[in-house]
């Protein structure tokens, strides 16, 4: 599963905004980045930097709460169906971000192990070349390798 690159956007409905007295906000999920626009000012954050999402459904509109180390974001006036859609997309994007991070860690660990193997084989090759040049054969000292 990969994070879709096309932007997905959520915002309050016009009636929901009016009834819940919500600010003007918009959430745009593009790949691993969530852009939060509050009163026309966009702020982009990495999806992995969010601690969690709480969706509190009401009769018609939901209340969203996003936890971030910088602050807690609260959004009102989004229809229940769209709130559920955002929760699904947000959770999937966070899971994908964790998967990508783990994959990068594994690649780094593999590169470190491969470097150690390369250094060992280079040292062994050098030692074999020196031994063959001086003695003409491999002696029992190479049993340690």
């Amino acid at each position: 599963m990969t994070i879709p690159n096309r932007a997905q956007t959520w915002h309050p409905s016009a009636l929901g905004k009016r009834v819940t007295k919500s600010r003007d906000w918009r959430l745009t999920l593009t790949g691993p980045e969530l852009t939060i626009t509050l009163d026309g000012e966009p702020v982009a954050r990495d999806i992995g930097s969010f601690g969690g999402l709480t969706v509190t459904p009401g009769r018609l509109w939901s209340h969203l709460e996003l936890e971030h180390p910088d602050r807690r974001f609260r959004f009102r006036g989004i229809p229940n169906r769209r709130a559920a859609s955002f929760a699904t997309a947000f959770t999937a994007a966070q899971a994908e971000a964790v998967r990508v991070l783990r994959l990068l860690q594994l690649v780094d660990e593999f590169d470190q192990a491969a470097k150690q193997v390369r250094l060992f084989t280079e040292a062994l090759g050098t030692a074999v070349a020196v031994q063959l040049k001086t003695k003409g054969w491999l002696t029992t000292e190479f049993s340690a390798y």
Side-chain angles (χ1 to χ4, degrees):
M1 180 177 177
T2 59
I3 299 172
N5 284 330
R6 67 178 180 83
Q8 296 176 294
T9 303
W10 294 268
H11 53 84
S13 65
L15 186 58
K17 187 176 168 183
R18 198 171 286 133
V19 170
T20 62
K21 298 177 182 152
S22 174
R23 298 168 57 182
D24 186 27
W25 60 267
R26 179 176 303 277
L27 302 171
T28 305
L29 185 60
T30 309
E33 186 175 271
L34 178 66
T35 302
I36 300 170
T37 306
L38 295 171
D39 297 322
E41 294 184 34
V43 177
R45 300 274 195 272
D46 180 62
I47 195 77
S49 66
F50 288 93
L53 168 68
T54 304
V55 178
T56 308
R59 291 205 188 274
L60 299 173
W61 299 284
S62 291
H63 174 88
L64 302 175
E65 193 170 308
L66 281 168
E67 295 176 29
H68 192 271
D70 294 346
R71 62 177 277 201
R72 184 172 293 195
F73 296 95
R74 293 186 178 103
F75 309 100
R76 294 179 303 200
I78 185 170
N80 289 336
R81 230 182 245 166
R82 280 196 240 156
S85 166
F86 174 73
T88 301
F90 180 83
T91 303
Q94 271 200 322
E96 181 65 12
V98 167
R99 189 186 75 77
V100 167
L101 181 62
R102 179 66 182 137
L103 186 60
L104 290 173
Q105 290 171 341
L106 289 172
V107 167
D108 186 48
E109 289 174 18
F110 178 82
D111 287 346
Q112 290 175 10
K115 182 180 178 184
Q116 292 298 319
V117 170
R118 185 180 53 78
L119 291 173
F120 170 78
T121 56
E122 287 173 359
L124 179 63
T126 302
V128 167
V130 168
Q131 183 68 22
L132 288 174
K133 192 176 243 185
T134 57
K135 298 273 187 191
W137 64 85
L138 297 179
T139 61
T140 57
E141 293 96 29
F142 284 91
S143 65
Y145 281 105

